[in-house]
Amino acid sequence: MSKAEELRRKVKRRKITIQAVLIGVSLLVVYGAFTTARTNLAAQGLTSGFGFLERSTGWDYSFSLIQKDIRDPYARTLFVGFLNTLFVGFIAIVLTTFFGFLIGTARDASNLAVKTAATVYVQIFRNIPLILQLVFLYAVLINLPGPRQAMSLADTVFMSNRGMMLPGLSVSPGIAVALLLASLAMGVLLIWTKLPFFRGLAVWIGGSIVLCLAVTAAFRPEGAGMFSVPELKGLRFRGGITIPIELFGMIIAITLYGSAYIAEVVRGGLAQVPRGLTEAGQALGLTKAAIWSRIKMPMALRSIIPPLGNQWIFMMKATTIGVAIGFSDLFYIVSISITQSGQTLELIAILMGAFLLVNGGLAVFTNWLNARMKLKAH
């Protein structure tokens, strides 16, 4: 064995020893913290464990995608908060990605007015803290007129201090969530098949519309139409889809903030495409739209996707700001549950585990998407 090989083995063994020591010290620290916390809780007469999940909460909250009741156990209430977090997070991810690509493309445009407008948008919303934007937007929304003086668009869309009322399919909230998940799954499948961008987008939109109409026709209430339009009856609107003011503010604030960051990611990716490729497209007589969709964007995606995945994870974590305006996401539910039950460690562990699960899934999806977009020679 050569001296160089022996030296490499010694270095490798030393690294393994150091890593083992660090892992051992970390486990001892965690164990010490756990036993200390358990001892302190026992001294205060507080029980530990997850048995409290079966107890009734006895308190209500604002928003739920599934049926809720004040007598629900902590387990179901936490599940409702988890669903609300997923709902807001995935809607924000879809909207921020769409507007981020739109604004990022505008930042790369040759038209000075379009480029300047996109730059001003990015500089404004990227440099103001997200929670400040949310609180300001919420303060504006709660001071809108009441339902009887609600602002309307073609007498079908209404906006008041109760939220936004929209026409919707005549299905239950559970079926609507299932349709949303099915549409997302269809989008992932189309990415896997590597269809061209515009063709894949058209197939996704058309397929989602057909799926929604088919499911509505099969599961709508007897005698109801395909669509439900909100109507003012008394002091509130009935029918259609009601987006509570807290949910509406959350989606708008996260979308405005996240779009600015994704726009910069897209602009950076487009800037990395060699100019010779676009010049070659121009020499072939391709239009600007064709150059963007067939040359610039496919090449830019390979450098856009990794940082884009980081922004998706951030969007999911950003849903925790809902606690500032009382939106019943998982963080808000956990906060109230800690106050009511005193099971601090268990509830924080549940919160951490939930975000690890969701963000870990997003990371896996991003890695898969990045692998699908790689050139075959790489």
Side-chain angles (χ1 to χ4, degrees):
M1 182 186 299
S2 64
K3 290 185 177 180
E5 182 67 23
E6 184 178 356
L7 180 61
R8 280 196 295 269
R9 290 193 175 186
K10 286 183 178 180
V11 172
K12 185 176 181 180
R13 284 196 297 267
R14 186 175 300 173
K15 286 183 179 179
I16 294 174
T17 303
I18 294 174
Q19 291 173 356
V21 171
L22 288 176
I23 293 173
V25 171
S26 301
L27 290 175
L28 286 175
V29 171
V30 171
Y31 177 75
F34 175 76
T35 53
T36 302
R38 186 172 60 181
T39 303
N40 292 337
L41 288 174
Q44 298 177 20
L46 297 175
T47 58
S48 59
F50 294 92
F52 75 98
L53 294 174
E54 300 177 1
R55 298 203 307 261
S56 176
T57 58
W59 43 270
D60 199 8
Y61 43 92
S62 60
F63 178 76
S64 175
L65 293 170
I66 59 178
Q67 190 174 1
K68 64 184 178 72
D69 190 87
I70 196 173
R71 295 166 294 183
D72 287 339
Y74 278 96
R76 182 177 176 85
T77 304
L78 290 168
F79 180 67
V80 168
F82 181 65
L83 287 180
N84 291 347
T85 292
L86 287 179
F87 182 68
V88 175
F90 280 113
I91 287 180
I93 285 172
V94 171
L95 292 178
T96 54
T97 302
F98 174 77
F99 288 109
F101 270 77
L102 191 66
I103 297 166
T105 302
R107 288 267 282 151
D108 188 61
S110 57
N111 186 297
L112 182 60
V114 173
K115 187 174 184 177
T116 302
T119 302
V120 170
Y121 173 91
V122 170
Q123 295 303 323
I124 289 175
F125 289 103
R126 190 180 61 168
N127 294 310
I128 300 176
L130 175 57
I131 193 167
L132 181 58
Q133 295 185 39
L134 175 63
V135 172
F136 174 78
L137 182 61
Y138 183 69
V140 172
L141 293 174
I142 60 175
N143 285 288
L144 291 175
R148 290 189 174 182
Q149 295 81 33
M151 298 178 291
S152 66
L153 177 63
D155 289 332
T156 55
V157 178
F158 301 90
M159 188 71 198
S160 72
N161 57 10
R162 301 282 183 87
M164 175 175 279
M165 281 61 68
L166 303 168
L169 299 173
S170 298
V171 294
S172 64
I175 294 178
V177 173
L179 287 173
L180 177 62
L181 294 176
S183 178
L184 290 173
M186 186 185 304
V188 173
L189 180 62
L190 290 173
I191 292 173
W192 182 76
T193 58
K194 288 189 175 182
L195 283 178
F197 178 78
F198 287 110
R199 186 185 303 173
L201 183 63
V203 171
W204 179 60
I205 294 175
S208 298
I209 292 174
V210 171
L211 177 64
C212 290
L213 294 177
V215 171
T216 302
F219 293 97
R220 63 180 173 174
E222 187 176 354
M226 291 286 290
F227 296 94
S228 176
V229 179
E231 296 180 1
L232 180 63
K233 294 184 178 180
L235 297 176
R236 63 177 181 173
F237 286 90
R238 297 185 181 275
I241 299 174
T242 299
I243 304 177
I245 207 74
E246 295 83 7
L247 175 59
F248 183 76
M250 285 271 293
I251 292 174
I252 297 300
I254 295 176
T255 300
L256 292 175
Y257 186 77
S259 297
Y261 277 91
I262 292 180
E264 284 299 276
V265 171
V266 173
R267 182 193 63 80
L270 291 172
Q272 291 183 22
V273 177
R275 182 175 296 180
L277 294 178
T278 58
E279 292 175 349
Q282 293 171 354
L284 292 173
L286 297 178
T287 63
K288 290 184 178 180
I291 292 174
W292 181 85
S293 63
R294 296 179 180 274
I295 299 176
K296 295 193 71 173
M297 186 52 66
M299 294 297 297
L301 280 175
R302 293 169 176 83
S303 58
I304 287 174
I305 289 174
L308 181 62
N310 293 334
Q311 292 302 318
W312 287 344
I313 292 174
F314 173 76
M315 292 299 104
M316 189 60 70
K317 292 187 290 187
T319 59
T320 55
I321 64 169
V323 71
I325 60 173
F327 177 72
S328 52
D329 67 319
L330 182 60
F331 186 73
Y332 175 86
I333 296 292
V334 166
S335 302
I336 300 298
S337 298
I338 289 174
T339 304
Q340 297 293 327
S341 68
Q343 309 292 147
T344 305
L345 296 179
E346 293 84 355
L347 286 165
I348 290 179
I350 290 173
L351 180 64
M352 292 172 61
F355 274 103
L356 281 173
L357 176 65
V358 175
N359 291 333
L362 283 174
V364 170
F365 173 74
T366 302
N367 292 335
W368 171 81
L369 187 60
N370 190 39
R372 293 291 300 174
M373 292 296 176
K374 280 184 178 179
L375 294 174
K376 291 184 179 180
H378 288 39

